[in-house]
Amino acid sequence: MLPPTNLVRTIVPILLVAGLVVGCGSSKKSSSSTTTSSSTTTASSSSGVDSTVAAQVPSKFKSKTIVVAADATYAPNEFIASNGHTVVGMDPDLAQALSAVMGTKVKVVNATFDSIIPGLASGKYDLGMSSFTDTKARQKVVDFVTYFSAGTSFYVKAQGGPTINSLADLCGHTVGVERGTTQATDATAQSAKCTKAGKSKVTVSVYPDQNAANLAISSGRAQVGMADSPVAAYIVKQSNGQFKLTGTPYNTAPYGIAITKGSGLDKPVLAALKVLMKDGKYKAILTKWNIEQGAITNPKINGAIS
């Protein structure tokens, strides 16, 4: 995971910031962070089926439902709706729109973030759409189609929180991050740099999902939060003044749709995304969730910059 914000209500960030929810799941009704929560949608979109794109879809996916995994604790990109089980947000909307263009059916399921790539490798899922930063390390296991641009932002308590302008300022602080994210990697790497420079280490507290990381900050168990820029902005917006952003985003990088290597879905997904970009559906989805500033115009297969 790595960035913006949302106009739609979600119960999750409000509850977790207030300390009413303990991690896992995005609503009071759904506390599970497993793949049990899901929504099934028969592909239909104003974009409609594109016959050229549909012809690129491998035959085995034309007769089955494509299973898309998302960690639904990362609003506004993916989170649980107020009904307690449907996965909603930018990524589920885009998954449905892509499926519509490809002429397939799609099922979006809730999964813990660090279980998605292994699930793709094992065949449990077909796609991972969960704010994945496309990195060269991850490309060793899965392929990506880039579709968004995001950075990492820092956020702290509005009253008494430390001023963090860069990773170097994390020395001596406790950071709450979600397991398996680039933020967890960055904070850990920075800790080594701090100690090498003779400064206090970064205490990196890793949590199973973003809700739990946020709760650690609101409860004082961690001093600094790190999340993709759009997500951090959303968390702050929904905190009723408890949190604030600090510093500026760093390391802007592409999000990628994670795809099982050798599945043959990389090219039709890329082609479908280009259709959505051309007809305006892609921009409409980002605008719906107030994250249009992360839009890109040149999607690629495996477009990692690091």
Side-chain angles (χ1 to χ4, degrees), residues 181-203:
T181 62
T182 55
Q183 288 82 16
T185 300
D186 290 349
T188 301
Q190 182 57 44
S191 183
K193 292 179 181 179
C194 292
T195 55
K196 186 176 182 179
K199 300 178 181 180
S200 298
K201 69 175 183 177
V202 181
T203 300

Side-chain angles (χ1 to χ4, degrees), residues 38-284:
S38 66
S39 63
T40 303
T41 305
T42 299
S44 61
S45 164
S46 57
S47 298
V49 179
D50 183 293
S51 59
T52 301
V53 175
Q56 298 181 46
V57 177
S59 57
K60 69 176 182 178
F61 293 107
K62 295 179 180 179
S63 58
K64 64 166 283 186
T65 297
I66 292 176
V67 180
V68 180
D71 173 10
T73 68
Y74 221 55
N77 295 353
E78 43 271 331
F79 60 102
I80 299 293
S82 58
N83 65 12
H85 58 83
T86 304
V87 184
V88 297
M90 177 268 286
D91 277 325
D93 281 359
L94 187 57
Q96 292 169 16
L98 289 168
S99 182
V101 174
M102 293 190 294
T104 62
K105 294 181 179 180
V106 65
K107 178 181 181 181
V108 180
V109 300
N110 185 15
T112 54
F113 184 72
D114 63 342
S115 73
I116 296 175
I117 288 181
L120 288 167
S122 70
K124 185 175 184 179
Y125 312 122
D126 301 307
L127 300 177
M129 296 184 67
S130 194
S131 307
F132 279 104
T133 301
D134 180 359
T135 67
K136 292 181 180 178
R138 287 172 175 165
Q139 285 177 10
K140 294 178 181 179
V141 185
V142 295
D143 288 322
F144 288 99
V145 170
T146 59
Y147 66 104
F148 193 78
S149 179
T152 287
S153 290
F154 304 103
Y155 60 100
V156 298
K157 279 190 173 182
Q159 300 298 321
T163 298
I164 306 294
N165 292 314
S166 68
L167 285 167
D169 294 326
L170 293 179
C171 300
H173 294 295
T174 300
V175 179
V177 290
E178 181 175 359
R179 184 172 59 215
T181 62
T182 55
Q183 288 82 16
T185 300
D186 290 349
T188 301
Q190 182 57 44
S191 183
K193 292 179 181 179
C194 292
T195 55
K196 186 176 182 179
K199 300 178 181 180
S200 298
K201 69 175 183 177
V202 181
T203 300
V204 184
S205 297
V206 180
Y207 296 92
D209 59 40
Q210 190 62 42
N211 292 350
N214 294 345
L215 183 58
I217 298 159
S218 66
S219 67
R221 287 180 287 119
Q223 298 167 293
V224 184
M226 297 171 65
D228 294 0
S229 318
V231 174
Y234 184 83
I235 291 168
V236 169
K237 182 178 179 180
Q238 296 290 357
S239 73
N240 295 321
Q242 290 193 49
F243 293 158
K244 67 179 179 181
L245 294 172
T246 180
T248 56
Y250 73 89
N251 280 5
T252 298
Y255 275 179
I257 299 168
I259 304 171
T260 304
K261 280 189 176 293
S263 69
L265 281 175
D266 51 348
K267 291 182 179 179
V269 167
L270 176 63
L273 181 58
K274 289 181 177 180
V275 169
L276 296 177
M277 288 180 170
K278 184 176 181 180
D279 70 13
K281 183 70 174 180
Y282 165 79
K283 189 65 176 291

